[in-house]
Every structure is written in C-alpha cells, then in structure tokens.
Amino acid sequence: MATRSRHSRLWAVMVAVVVVVAALALWLLFAGRAATPTAGPRLDVEPPRPSLPDTPRLPPVEPPTVPSPVPAPAPVR
C-alpha cells in the first residue's frame, strides 16, 4: 500500500478547514433572511358576516314533578 506524504495530509486538512469555514460563512450569510419577517400584502376587505335568525319566543315551561324515590317518613304522633 502506498504511503501518504506529510504534504498530502496537510493539503487534506487545509481543504477540510476551507470547506468548514465556507459552510459557516454561507450559513451566517443566508440564515439571517429566514429570521427576518417579511410583510405580506395588506388587503382591507370586510367580508359580509352571516346573521343568525332571531330565536323564537317560547312561553315559560313549568318544571316536571318527579316523585321521590324514597318513601316519605311516617308522621310523628
């Protein structure tokens, strides 16, 4: 197997550093655009709101009478 020279390792390290620095610089350059809000178009449109029908007027209803499930106690003499 061929041995690598010291210079080829140095070039590999330098290329790796350049790639990392370039990636970091590009990320810092373009990442700020995603964080800045952009103003969308403002439309002053009032859509018609649906109206609900009036509720009918019903006469009051007496509550139903329900017999007690427990028998009434015997009167005391």
Side-chain angles (χ1 to χ4, degrees):
M1 183 177 261
T3 61
R4 293 185 178 174
S5 67
R6 193 175 73 188
H7 295 291
S8 63
R9 285 188 206 141
L10 180 63
W11 278 107
V13 170
M14 287 175 45
V15 168
V17 168
V18 167
V19 168
V20 169
V21 169
L24 181 64
L26 288 174
W27 182 77
L28 289 174
L29 181 66
F30 292 110
R33 290 187 185 167
T36 55
T38 58
R42 292 186 55 92
L43 301 175
D44 294 331
V45 177
E46 288 286 331
R49 295 184 182 206
S51 62
L52 297 174
D54 292 335
T55 57
R57 300 206 181 264
L58 299 174
V61 177
E62 292 293 323
T65 57
V66 179
S68 175
V70 179
V76 179
R77 291 187 168 176

